[in-house]
Amino acid sequence: MTATIVSPRLMRIGGGSVGQIAEVLGLFGLSRPLVVTDPWMLSSGTVDRCLDPLRAAGLDPAVFAETVPDPTDTVIEAGVAAFRAGDYDCLIGFGGGSPMDTAKAIAIPAAAAPGQKMREFKVPAQADKAACPVICIPTTAGTGSEATRFTVITDTETDEKMLIAGLGALPLAAIVDYELTYSVPQRTTADTGIDSLTHALEAYVSKRANPHADSLALSAMRLIGRHLRIAYHQPKNAAAREAMMLGAMQAGLAFSNSSVALVHGMSRPIGAHFHVPHGLSNAMLLPAVTEFGLNDALPRYAEAARAIGVATIEDADQVAGSKLLEELRALNQELGVPTPRGHGIGAAQWEGMLPLMAKQALGSGSPANNPRVPDEAQIIALYRKVYG
């Protein structure tokens, strides 16, 4: 099998690296950025960690701060209008997955004819053209969006979370500064951490796995498996924060060059219809979906258990696979991951959405990458199993 490998052209990694944003722009001859962030990053002054070094270098960055959690096509349309209204030569996504996904998404329709809708770029379309380069600066250790060729945008007319894939969504550069994660709330640390673990695990067991992505996925699982609990309980632990940031980035590179699978396919409809944060909906699903496909890729799941640190080389694959399931359940319990019922989703409301969610999950294409490919009835059964 031939693998196509993509990644940002430049990545600055390390504590304090956000202060080098102007230098990074200068390397590519860029000087007129539109910074895409969210209202909290703006009101709290956190975005100044990006704006101040730009201004100190004599640049005059503009800010688009209308990003919302689970970014929508209407927000993207507003962002495209803001981009077209100014004389910008790049976009900077500063924040968690939503601002980065928003910046990446703005660049795609901005390169197309006016009036094109975001849904025209969703998979299986290839979104390979962008109006300008995008630089991403993550403030959470989770989505890996700074390193991927994907962005996920909600269609407000259908409540569908649309997967947009292509070179147009691939950042030109990324600045990965773990010091930006010190103030992240404990719940966000948990959700984004399990999100990155899901990225690495799904990339590794995916039917589209390849040796390059494998090496990144295994490294990510080693880092996340050993440091997620520490970062959760000790938010100022620099070594744990640095390891989680590096692991999240590697997991992003892994699934960008392999794929995600059934967890993500089922997770997106939960987020779209019930407004559950993406990492949290992944965590709700991860143990049950892993169990569903375990025996269809047992050697891979066993190796993942060894990388995470819950199984040894002496453990037979079946033993290692069982230990992986135990760890995923224990991790959810320790990090306070609720079931959908525990999150406050009513039983009748959940049940009523299952046929549509199953259709949307299959329609995303991600379940086809799973070691065990489900049909619609099996997805509905899994949704019922995780409800709680």
Side-chain angles (χ1 to χ4, degrees):
M1 183 185 78
T2 299
T4 299
I5 307 302
V6 298
S7 65
R9 284 175 64 186
L10 183 147
M11 304 184 82
R12 285 282 171 94
I13 303 167
S17 56
V18 68
Q20 300 170 25
I21 177 61
E23 180 187 341
V24 169
L25 292 188
L27 289 172
F28 297 105
L30 303 171
S31 61
R32 302 186 307 278
L34 175 62
V35 177
V36 178
T37 190
D38 62 43
W40 185 87
M41 289 285 171
L42 185 63
S43 64
S44 68
T46 306
V47 74
D48 291 337
R49 299 282 295 276
C50 170
L51 298 177
D52 287 348
L54 290 170
R55 290 168 178 153
L59 305 185
D60 185 23
V63 176
F64 176 81
E66 296 176 31
T67 299
V68 296
D70 299 318
T72 63
D73 53 0
T74 53
V75 168
I76 304 308
E77 289 169 8
V80 170
F83 176 80
R84 287 178 169 156
D87 180 27
Y88 306 113
D89 62 6
C90 61
L91 290 154
I92 298 175
F94 182 91
S98 294
M100 289 191 291
D101 272 13
T102 299
K104 291 160 63 168
I106 288 170
I108 293 167
Q116 279 196 271
K117 298 292 187 182
M118 204 69 222
R119 67 174 67 95
E120 296 177 49
F121 302 97
K122 73 175 182 178
V123 170
Q126 280 293 305
D128 287 333
K129 293 182 180 180
C132 69
V134 178
I135 294 88
C136 283
I137 306 174
T139 60
T140 62
T143 69
S145 188
E146 71 276 7
T148 76
R149 57 183 177 89
F150 304 112
T151 180
V152 178
I153 305 298
T154 299
D155 187 323
T156 51
E157 291 184 16
T158 64
D159 275 339
E160 178 187 0
K161 270 195 168 186
M162 304 178 292
L163 177 63
I164 316 294
L167 295 178
L170 182 68
L172 172 70
I175 294 179
V176 185
D177 184 345
Y178 69 88
E179 292 180 358
L180 293 172
T181 68
Y182 282 146
S183 59
V184 169
Q186 193 176 44
R187 179 74 263 145
T188 304
T189 295
D191 295 347
T192 56
I194 297 179
D195 188 22
S196 59
L197 180 62
T198 306
H199 291 153
L201 181 58
E202 290 208 298
Y204 190 64
V205 302
S206 166
K207 291 186 173 184
R208 299 174 64 183
N210 59 76
H212 178 76
D214 286 353
S215 64
L216 290 161
L218 288 168
S219 179
M221 285 188 280
R222 291 186 191 102
L223 289 165
I224 297 163
R226 286 156 178 76
H227 294 97
L228 175 51
R229 285 179 171 86
I230 299 172
Y232 178 76
H233 292 295
Q234 303 172 33
K236 299 295 186 183
N237 188 305
R241 288 295 193 184
E242 183 173 21
M244 287 301 299
M245 202 66 155
L246 183 59
M249 182 199 72
Q250 290 180 342
L253 286 166
F255 87 81
S256 185
N257 289 292
S258 172
S259 68
V260 289
L262 181 55
V263 174
H264 276 75
M266 292 180 61
S267 174
R268 293 186 200 105
I270 296 175
H273 297 290
F274 298 106
H275 307 292
V276 178
H278 173 68
L280 183 57
S281 57
N282 277 349
M284 291 172 174
L285 292 160
L286 186 56
V289 171
T290 300
E291 184 178 23
F292 175 79
L294 184 69
N295 290 323
D296 290 74
L298 185 58
R300 290 238 152 195
Y301 280 115
E303 197 58 36
R306 297 180 188 109
I308 291 168
V310 295
T312 68
I313 194 70
E314 289 81 18
D315 287 327
D317 285 356
Q318 196 69 55
V319 173
S322 295
K323 288 183 175 180
L324 175 63
L325 294 179
E326 291 172 11
E327 166 65 2
L328 297 179
R329 295 179 186 122
L331 192 62
N332 275 8
Q333 183 171 7
E334 185 170 340
L335 271 55
V337 175
T339 62
R341 181 195 295 272
H343 191 65
I345 300 171
Q349 191 182 14
W350 180 261
E351 185 67 26
M353 292 303 300
L354 295 190
L356 177 58
M357 291 203 300
K359 283 186 173 65
Q360 289 179 341
L362 283 173
S364 74
S366 297
N369 303 319
N370 210 58
R372 181 183 176 190
V373 180
D375 58 24
E376 195 172 310
Q378 288 170 316
I379 290 179
I380 289 174
L382 282 168
Y383 277 134
R384 288 181 176 138
K385 182 175 183 178
V386 304
Y387 177 71

